[in-house]
Amino acid sequence: MQKSFEIEIDGDPHETQEKELTADQILGLASLARDEYYLTEIKGQHTESYQGKGDEKVHLHPGSKFISTYTGATPVSDGQSADAMLAGAKLFAAQLRAAGFEVTELGDEHITFPYEVRAGSHAGLTITMALVVLPDFPLTPPTGPHINHILHPNKGGGEHPTGGIHDSSGHSKHFGAGWQYWSRPFQTWQNGSRTAGRYMAFINGLWATQ
């Protein structure tokens, strides 16, 4: 009999005896529906998304870490979605609400919502996150989040996780002392689904690699 070991999904431990499972089977360990979620593996400072690759085999070892991203239930109607009438911040906010976020629309293309870090060294931390979503979304994504938590000193140059961090007041009139803006362009946005769910998977990956 193979010895069981623990892996982590969304910060919670789950036991398995299998050294290989598909991404969808890993979601099943956490009772997450494969048609409503996709899996991302955290590999140190890097992430690997299994969106659209639920049947792909994933090698597991003790301590393997994953996060899930809610995409919404698969549509069963051929009718036009209400989201098809929206764009920009209103569309992004609607998609976030469908994923369970409590979103406040501030106007001027700004939205805010509570965000709980699910993986990485700051797992369990709850902050307020803000995004500036331009009118052409989903053509382009937000350029990075504003957070009401000073995680690192401001540093204009450098790379993630400690570089590209600015005082939010220089980038938005809505946020002042105690807010930081992370400049984190989503370089591969055009290569996949251009949705709020995919953008939040990108955000989850930023936190998981802190």
Side-chain angles (χ1 to χ4, degrees):
M1 181 177 179
Q2 295 184 10
K3 185 177 180 181
S4 64
F5 56 92
E6 285 189 352
I7 64 172
E8 184 180 296
I9 306 172
D10 293 335
D12 296 323
H14 296 272
E15 284 196 358
T16 182
Q17 295 179 344
E18 305 298 326
K19 294 183 178 180
E20 255 191 0
L21 290 172
T22 67
D24 283 346
Q25 287 172 330
I26 295 170
L27 288 173
L29 294 177
S31 300
L32 298 172
R34 66 184 66 184
D35 61 342
E36 296 184 12
Y37 294 84
Y38 68 86
L39 195 72
T40 300
E41 184 174 6
I42 309 302
K43 300 179 176 180
Q45 295 295 313
H46 304 282
T47 61
E48 182 172 353
S49 170
Y50 290 93
Q51 186 177 21
K53 300 185 290 185
D55 293 331
E56 189 167 317
K57 291 283 189 179
V58 182
H59 178 71
L60 300 176
H61 58 82
S64 291
K65 294 184 178 182
F66 303 89
I67 53 177
S68 65
T69 298
Y70 180 75
T71 58
T74 301
V76 295
S77 171
D78 291 332
Q80 187 179 38
S81 166
D83 284 0
M85 306 300 293
L86 302 176
K90 289 191 175 297
L91 174 59
F92 198 101
Q95 291 179 355
L96 283 186
R97 291 187 182 109
F101 288 90
E102 297 180 6
V103 183
T104 300
E105 297 179 56
L106 302 180
D108 298 331
E109 302 158 353
H110 289 64
I111 62 172
T112 67
F113 50 93
Y115 176 84
E116 181 179 355
V117 181
R118 297 186 296 165
S121 59
H122 300 282
L125 174 68
T126 298
I127 62 167
T128 298
M129 183 173 292
L131 297 170
V132 181
V133 186
L134 297 179
D136 66 351
F137 174 82
L139 182 61
T140 60
T143 56
H146 296 261
I147 63 171
N148 70 337
H149 186 82
I150 306 301
L151 199 66
H152 301 292
N154 291 339
K155 180 182 178 183
E159 298 180 350
H160 178 77
T162 59
I165 298 176
H166 311 268
D167 190 311
S168 283
S169 63
H171 295 264
S172 171
K173 67 180 183 181
H174 289 277
F175 315 117
W179 283 81
Q180 286 188 322
Y181 167 65
W182 293 5
S183 177
R184 299 291 186 274
F186 195 154
Q187 303 287 3
T188 59
W189 179 250
Q190 304 299 328
N191 298 343
S193 62
R194 292 176 288 187
T195 63
R198 181 164 171 249
Y199 186 79
M200 291 310 298
F202 172 70
I203 293 292
N204 293 341
L206 293 179
W207 282 96
T209 52
Q210 286 290 328

